[in-house]
Structures are given as C-alpha cells and as structure tokens.
Amino acid sequence: MLTVAIPKGSLLKDSIASFAAIGLDFSAFLEKGNRQLQIEDPTGQARAMLVRNGDVPVYVESGQAHVGIVGYDVLREKKPQVAQILDLGFGGCRLSVAVQESSPYRKSIDLPAHSRVASKFVQCARDHFRDLDLPVDIVPLYGSVELGPITGMSEAIVDLVATGRTLKENGLIEIEELFYSTARAIAHPLSYRLNTYGLSDSLNALRDHLRSQRKTT
Amino acid sequence: MLTVAIPKGSLLKDSIASFAAIGLDFSAFLEKGNRQLQIEDPTGQARAMLVRNGDVPVYVESGQAHVGIVGYDVLREKKPQVAQILDLGFGGCRLSVAVQESSPYRKSIDLPAHSRVASKFVQCARDHFRDLDLPVDIVPLYGSVELGPITGMSEAIVDLVATGRTLKENGLIEIEELFYSTARAIAHPLSYRLNTYGLSDSLNALRDHLRSQRKTT
C-alpha cells in the first residue's frame, strides 16, 4: 500500500490538504485528541504515518514511506538520499543570521573571527561561514536559540524566521538570509522510478493540482 | 552573579525544589503562562535560565551557566566537558533496548547482524552494540521512536523508559537496560574549583541537604 510520511507541527494542516487534493483523506490526524500515529485513508488506497518534520526524510530514505512532506530546511541540513519532487509553496520561512539589535554587526561578515554562533542548523551555519571564509565556533542548541545572544553565550544565531516576532521580542534582528524554505514533497528514488503503488502518478496529480491552483490565484 | 541552567520538561519541578532547598527561589518558572526564560532569585543572589534538558550542558560547558541540572542520559550521549557533582536521585528512567513483543528477540545479542536500531541516543546505541561486537545500522529518529518497529523500519529501538506505558501501548517490550538515568547537578569545572560566586558552597549545601533527606527517609 502507498505509504506517506506526514510531518507533525506547523506543516501538518497544509500537508493533509495537499493529499486531500489528490483524493487521499488523512484528516483523522487533525481530530482533537488524536493519538494515532498511523492511519489508513478511508478508501484503503494509502496509509499515513505521523512523524516529526525532521524524521520524515529518514522514513522516506529507508523506503518505509514512499513519499513524504518536509521543510526544505531539513533537506538542506540533513542532506538525505531522497528525490525532491515538488515545491508545495506553503510553510514559508527564512533560515537567517540574527544578532542583538544593539550590536554593531549588520552582515555575517561583520562578526569578529571566532565569534560563537548558536544554532539548531549546525551544518547550514557551518557551510555559510565557511563560504565566507570566516572562522566561527558553532554552538549546537536545540531549543530557545534566541537565548544565545541574550545570555552572552553567542554573538549570533542562525535560526528559522517566519514572522520575526520571536526575534523582535528578544531584541534581535535578522542580518542575513541563508535561504528561503518551503514544504517539499520528497520520494524514495527507486519507488518513484518504478511508480510503486502509483507513487509517481500521485505526485504528477499533485503537480497538476498545484499548477491549476497557481493559474487561478 | 551565580547563574544556573534549569531544564524544561519533566525535570523542571524537582530541579526548582532542589534549588529551593538551598535558599534559591526560581518558582516563577512554574507559574502558569510563564514566558520568561531568564529570572532572578528574589533575594538577588542568583539568576536562572530555563533551557532544554539537552541544552543544559552546552550552557555549563561554555561557562554561561555555572551550574545546571540535567539527566544523566544527556551526559552519556553528549559527553560534555563539565564536572558531574551530584546525583539528585529524581527523574529516574532506564535507557533500554526494546523490540516488538511478537519478535523472537529477548536479548540485544539475539538481534540479527545488520538489524536496524532506531534511537534518539545514537552514540549510546552505537557504543552498546559495539561492545557486543554486533554490527547494526543505527537510524537516528527524534520523535516517536516506538514507530520504528511498528512500521518495520527497525528491528529494535534504544529509548528512555520510565513507566513502560508507551512501550506497552505499542506492543513493545524492554529486553535490555543500557543504564539507569537520574538528574545530576553539573558544574563548570573552573568555576567549581574557584568557588565562583559561592558555587562550590551552594553545591556542598545541596549535598548536605540530600544526605539529611536520605537519613530521614
């Protein structure tokens, strides 16, 4: 049976809408008090697993899910061996460098050499500063990265910014964008080539749906 | 000012009680709707930062916090350069190998070579199977690790078990314990040696408090 990996959290609702557009109903995940992590589409055509955004590529890479939806930021950070098929357009945010508003830094390259940069996106941050030829110490933090500059633990952070509200509340400003991220449909490469359980047909239908949507908006 | 790092989540309440026992009041973190991530003790003796359990050693290692409370599991997984001072006794859980109850495996060594083992504790899992001389593929997952064996993505998992309820609900059983974890007080080694802001005095007071508690119970 076609198996899809759906991300918990902020991409959940639009992910379910994407599958609904091609006739797959996983809305049971949205029901209040849902504790199920695996459900079947009522028509019995497909199965969905509800997993962390960051775990989606792991399921797709291993072939346990044929297709998944995940933020582009995760693909950039983890570089999984999956086929990137479609840009779904939702879940837009920027991976950006931010510093304290009161600091003198207004570009990444302004930071002193050997500054500390706190981030959940260790690889992306490392790549960014390596490209600038600026040696910095990346401090891996997994929650409340904005505490870094406030406590003096780091001169800068590299973090996802959607509305910018969290930065503002913490006296931080965005000084450089590494890349813009949106939700992507990814597939297991072999399953996609072989059209396993109609995987490529489903993704083509989703592509057509997106195109028709873009025409009308 | 003495700065402490307090873990969010399941260790929060007992961590605050530990500091209360030595006269430091950070109970504001427990107030409903609290959004503050940094507070001062009302007497002005110390400051606390509220961070993820996994981030506590990062703050202590960098000297941004002089002392912190963190689960032993994090210390085993990340091996940070901090001084482990006290076993606080609370937050007990086991890092264990679990498999599907219906599987034939009852010890780690029963797993077939090249089995897949899903875990958040990649290093601990790797060390465990290396010690057994059993080559396995560790699959890094960050949420709902128990989905691994259910979806067929992995033969086993290595995960924290407190009550065992999650395992049971998912048809899994614990077959081997890697180690038992409790909350630990950790300190920045240099600050501890120098008794910065009375750090070692505070930790000695906490040690005395724990001893007196153990005598009366």
Side-chain angles (χ1 to χ4, degrees):
Chain A
M1 192 185 292
L2 184 71
T3 303
V4 312
I6 293 184
K8 289 180 184 177
S10 61
L11 302 181
L12 176 61
K13 224 178 126 188
D14 286 323
S15 297
I16 285 173
S18 299
F19 286 111
I22 55 167
L24 297 176
D25 174 12
F26 301 120
S27 58
F29 282 149
L30 293 175
E31 278 163 24
K32 247 188 157 175
N34 167 62
R35 283 198 66 182
Q36 290 187 93
L37 298 177
Q38 280 197 95
I39 54 172
E40 263 187 40
D41 165 70
T43 64
Q45 301 171 72
R47 199 164 55 120
M49 295 186 292
L50 186 62
V51 304
R52 276 223 191 173
N53 185 32
D55 288 343
V56 167
V58 181
Y59 281 91
V60 175
E61 197 173 21
S62 72
Q64 224 49 52
H66 304 101
V67 55
I69 294 182
V70 63
Y72 177 63
D73 56 302
V74 174
L75 300 176
R76 283 287 290 258
E77 178 66 17
K78 306 267 182 173
K79 301 184 177 67
Q81 300 300 308
V82 296
Q84 295 188 36
I85 311 288
L86 284 172
D87 182 345
L88 300 172
F90 61 83
C93 56
R94 303 176 293 280
L95 190 73
S96 292
V97 180
V99 297
Q100 281 199 286
E101 197 162 4
S102 58
S103 83
Y105 317 123
R106 287 300 173 264
K107 288 197 304 280
S108 298
I109 197 73
D110 294 343
L111 287 165
H114 306 291
S115 291
R116 288 201 284 200
V117 178
S119 189
K120 296 183 186 83
F121 293 85
V122 171
Q123 296 305 332
C124 293
R126 191 164 286 148
D127 292 349
H128 175 68
F129 286 97
R130 190 175 287 151
D131 289 350
L132 293 174
D133 220 0
L134 179 63
V136 296
D137 292 335
I138 308 293
V139 182
L141 280 188
Y142 294 93
S144 306
V145 177
E146 64 277 8
L147 259 180
I150 298 172
T151 58
M153 129 95 85
S154 74
E155 277 75 26
I157 64 173
V158 170
D159 206 10
L160 288 179
V161 183
T163 63
R165 191 179 147 211
T166 306
L167 291 185
K168 206 170 175 184
E169 282 181 354
N170 288 286
L172 301 174
I173 53 160
E174 212 176 333
I175 58 169
E176 206 160 313
E177 180 179 321
L178 275 62
F179 56 81
Y180 189 72
S181 175
T182 48
R184 305 295 165 101
I186 58 171
H188 185 256
L190 192 63
S191 307
Y192 185 66
R193 275 205 303 279
L194 299 178
N195 194 18
T196 310
Y197 303 116
L199 167 61
S200 359
D201 298 338
S202 298
L203 286 168
N204 288 340
L206 189 53
R207 181 181 290 116
D208 292 343
H209 166 74
L210 288 170
R211 280 198 188 134
S212 68
Q213 243 192 349
R214 272 165 207 165
K215 271 182 204 155
T216 56
T217 53
Chain B
M1 194 185 293
L2 184 70
T3 303
V4 312
I6 292 185
K8 289 180 183 177
S10 61
L11 301 180
L12 176 60
K13 225 177 126 189
D14 287 322
S15 296
I16 285 174
S18 299
F19 286 112
I22 55 167
L24 297 175
D25 175 12
F26 301 121
S27 58
F29 282 149
L30 293 176
E31 278 163 23
K32 247 189 155 174
N34 167 63
R35 283 198 64 181
Q36 289 187 95
L37 298 176
Q38 279 197 95
I39 55 172
E40 264 188 39
D41 164 71
T43 65
Q45 299 171 75
R47 199 165 54 120
M49 295 185 293
L50 186 62
V51 304
R52 277 223 192 172
N53 184 33
D55 287 343
V56 167
V58 180
Y59 282 90
V60 175
E61 197 173 22
S62 72
Q64 223 49 50
H66 304 100
V67 56
I69 294 182
V70 64
Y72 177 63
D73 55 301
V74 175
L75 300 176
R76 281 288 291 258
E77 177 66 17
K78 307 267 183 174
K79 302 185 174 67
Q81 300 299 308
V82 295
Q84 295 188 35
I85 311 289
L86 284 172
D87 182 343
L88 300 170
F90 61 82
C93 55
R94 302 177 294 278
L95 190 72
S96 292
V97 181
V99 296
Q100 281 198 287
E101 198 163 3
S102 57
S103 84
Y105 317 123
R106 287 301 172 265
K107 288 196 305 279
S108 299
I109 196 74
D110 294 342
L111 288 165
H114 306 291
S115 290
R116 289 200 284 201
V117 178
S119 189
K120 295 184 185 83
F121 293 85
V122 171
Q123 296 304 331
C124 293
R126 192 164 285 150
D127 292 349
H128 175 67
F129 286 97
R130 191 176 287 151
D131 289 351
L132 294 175
D133 221 0
L134 179 64
V136 296
D137 292 335
I138 308 294
V139 182
L141 280 188
Y142 294 92
S144 308
V145 178
E146 64 278 8
L147 259 180
I150 297 172
T151 58
M153 129 97 85
S154 73
E155 277 75 25
I157 62 173
V158 169
D159 206 10
L160 288 179
V161 183
T163 62
R165 192 179 146 210
T166 306
L167 292 185
K168 207 172 174 181
E169 282 182 352
N170 289 286
L172 301 174
I173 54 160
E174 213 177 332
I175 58 168
E176 205 160 314
E177 180 179 321
L178 275 63
F179 56 80
Y180 188 73
S181 175
T182 48
R184 305 295 164 101
I186 58 171
H188 185 255
L190 191 63
S191 306
Y192 185 67
R193 276 205 301 279
L194 298 177
N195 194 18
T196 310
Y197 302 116
L199 167 60
S200 1
D201 299 338
S202 298
L203 286 168
N204 289 338
L206 189 52
R207 180 181 289 117
D208 292 343
H209 166 74
L210 288 171
R211 282 197 187 134
S212 68
Q213 246 192 344
R214 273 166 205 165
K215 270 181 204 154
T216 57
T217 52

